[in-house]
C-alpha cells in the first residue's frame, strides 16, 4: 500500500510531499519536432548548401587573382618604367617581345641599385601574382567544369602560365644583369611573349567556363531544377 502525501512529507520532507503525482513522467517526456509532412507549405525553408559557400570562396579567390594581376601590371611595372628605368618601358609590358638593345637600355637606365630593386619586384609582387592568379583560375575552372578531360586541359594552361611567368622573371633578371648576353635577352623576350599568349588563353578559359555556367543555369531553370522551383515533366 502506497504512502499518502502527508506521510511522504513527514518521511522525505515538504518538497517530496508537495510534488504532484505523475510529474516524473511529464518531466521525462520530450517534445517531438514536427516532421516535414506535418509542416505547412510556407514553413519549409532551404538551408545554405556547401556548394554556395564554396562558390563564394572560389569567386573571392578568382577576383583577388585578377586584382593582383592588374595591380602588378598597371601600377608596379609602370612604377618600374617611370621611377627606376627613367622612362624606358619595363620589358614585361612589351607584348610583342623586345630586342637585346632594349634590354641594354633598361639595364643602363636602372643602374646597379635599380637592378637590385627590379629583381626585388620579381621576388615579391612578381612571385605572388602568378601564384594567386593561377590559384583563382584553378579553383574557378575546377568548381564550374564537370567534364574531367576539359577541366584538365584548362588546368594545364593555367599551370603553364604560372611556370612561364616565373621563368620569365628569372630570365629577365639574368638578361638585365648581363646586358651583353644576347641569348639571355632572346630567351627573356620569348618567355614574355609566351606569357601574354597564355594570358589570352586564361581569358578564353574564363569566358568559356562562364558561358557554360550560364547555359547550365538556363537549362536548369527551364526544367524547373533550380532551388524553389517545382520539377517540370
Amino acid at each position: 500500500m502506497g504512502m499518502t502525501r502527508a506521510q511522504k512529507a513527514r518521511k522525505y520532507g515538504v518538497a517530496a510531499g508537495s510534488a504532484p503525482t505523475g510529474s516524473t513522467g511529464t518531466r521525462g517526456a520530450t517534445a517531438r519536432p514536427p516532421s516535414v509532412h506535418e509542416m505547412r507549405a510556407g514553413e519549409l525553408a532551404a538551408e545554405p548548401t556547401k556548394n554556395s559557400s564554396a562558390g563564394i570562396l572560389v569567386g573571392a579567390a578568382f577576383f583577388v587573382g585578377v586584382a593582383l594581376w592588374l595591380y602588378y601590371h598597371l601600377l608596379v611595372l609602370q612604377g618600374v618604367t617611370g621611377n627606376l628605368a627613367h622612362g624606358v618601358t619595363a620589358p614585361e609590358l612589351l607584348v610583342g617581345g623586345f630586342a637585346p638593345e632594349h634590354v641594354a637600355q633598361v639595364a643602363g637606365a636602372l643602374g646597379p641599385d635599380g637592378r637590385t630593386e627590379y629583381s626585388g619586384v620579381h621576388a615579391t609582387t612578381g612571385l605572388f601574382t602568378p601564384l594567386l592568379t593561377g590559384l583563382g583560375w584553378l579553383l574557378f575552372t575546377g568548381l564550374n567544369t564537370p567534364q574531367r578531360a576539359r577541366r584538365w586541359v584548362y588546368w594545364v594552361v593555367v599551370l603553364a602560365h604560372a611556370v612561364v611567368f616565373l621563368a620569365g622573371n628569372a630570365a629577365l633578371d639574368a638578361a638585365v644583369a648581363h646586358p651583353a648576353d644576347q641569348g639571355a635577352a632572346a630567351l627573356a623576350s620569348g618567355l614574355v611573349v609566351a606569357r601574354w599568349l597564355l594570358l589570352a588563353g586564361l581569358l578564353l578559359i574564363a569566358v568559356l567556363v562562364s558561358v557554360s555556367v550560364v547555359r547550365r543555369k538556363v537549362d536548369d531553370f527551364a526544367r524547373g531544377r533550380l532551388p524553389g522551383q517545382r520539377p517540370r515533366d
Side-chain angles (χ1 to χ4, degrees), residues 149-177:
R150 182 180 300 180
R151 183 167 62 241
W152 275 107
V153 171
Y154 292 163
W155 284 356
V156 168
V157 177
V158 174
L159 294 175
H161 174 267
V163 171
V164 170
F165 198 112
L166 296 175
N169 287 347
L172 285 169
D173 289 338
V176 171

Side-chain angles (χ1 to χ4, degrees), residues 182-208:
Q182 296 188 357
L187 175 61
S189 177
L191 289 174
V192 168
V193 173
R195 174 194 301 185
W196 285 102
L197 291 176
L198 289 169
L199 174 66
L202 293 186
L203 297 177
L204 178 60
I205 288 173
V207 172
L208 292 176

Side-chain angles (χ1 to χ4, degrees), residues 1-41:
M1 181 175 178
M3 292 186 294
T4 63
R5 186 178 301 177
Q7 291 174 335
K8 290 182 179 180
R10 286 194 298 270
K11 185 173 182 179
Y12 299 108
V14 179
S18 59
T21 306
S23 59
T24 303
T26 305
R27 191 185 305 118
T30 56
R32 182 179 63 84
S35 65
V36 175
H37 303 286
E38 296 173 350
M39 292 182 179
R40 297 179 180 177

Side-chain angles (χ1 to χ4, degrees), residues 2-220:
M3 292 186 294
T4 63
R5 186 178 301 177
Q7 291 174 335
K8 290 182 179 180
R10 286 194 298 270
K11 185 173 182 179
Y12 299 108
V14 179
S18 59
T21 306
S23 59
T24 303
T26 305
R27 191 185 305 118
T30 56
R32 182 179 63 84
S35 65
V36 175
H37 303 286
E38 296 173 350
M39 292 182 179
R40 297 179 180 177
E43 293 177 350
L44 291 173
E47 296 181 355
T49 62
K50 294 182 179 180
N51 289 335
S52 62
S53 300
I56 294 174
L57 294 177
V58 169
F62 180 81
F63 284 108
V64 166
V66 172
L68 186 58
W69 189 95
L70 293 174
Y71 169 76
Y72 180 68
H73 288 81
L74 298 182
L75 293 179
V76 176
L77 292 181
Q78 292 293 340
V80 170
T81 299
N83 299 328
L84 296 180
H86 305 288
V88 181
T89 305
E92 295 96 319
L93 297 177
L94 299 175
V95 181
F98 45 86
E101 293 77 14
H102 184 78
V103 176
Q105 292 179 0
V106 173
L110 289 175
D113 295 337
R115 295 175 192 175
T116 302
E117 292 187 37
Y118 183 55
S119 179
V121 168
H122 290 160
T124 53
T125 314
L127 173 63
F128 292 113
T129 295
L131 295 180
L132 293 181
T133 301
L135 177 62
W137 248 266
L138 286 175
L139 295 175
F140 177 69
T141 55
L143 180 66
N144 298 300
T145 308
Q147 301 87 351
R148 180 177 299 180
R150 182 180 300 180
R151 183 167 62 241
W152 275 107
V153 171
Y154 292 163
W155 284 356
V156 168
V157 177
V158 174
L159 294 175
H161 174 267
V163 171
V164 170
F165 198 112
L166 296 175
N169 287 347
L172 285 169
D173 289 338
V176 171
H178 304 89
D181 189 348
Q182 296 188 357
L187 175 61
S189 177
L191 289 174
V192 168
V193 173
R195 174 194 301 185
W196 285 102
L197 291 176
L198 289 169
L199 174 66
L202 293 186
L203 297 177
L204 178 60
I205 288 173
V207 172
L208 292 176
V209 173
S210 299
V211 171
S212 177
V213 170
V214 172
R215 285 181 176 176
R216 287 200 302 270
K217 293 295 183 182
V218 172
D219 182 67
D220 289 342

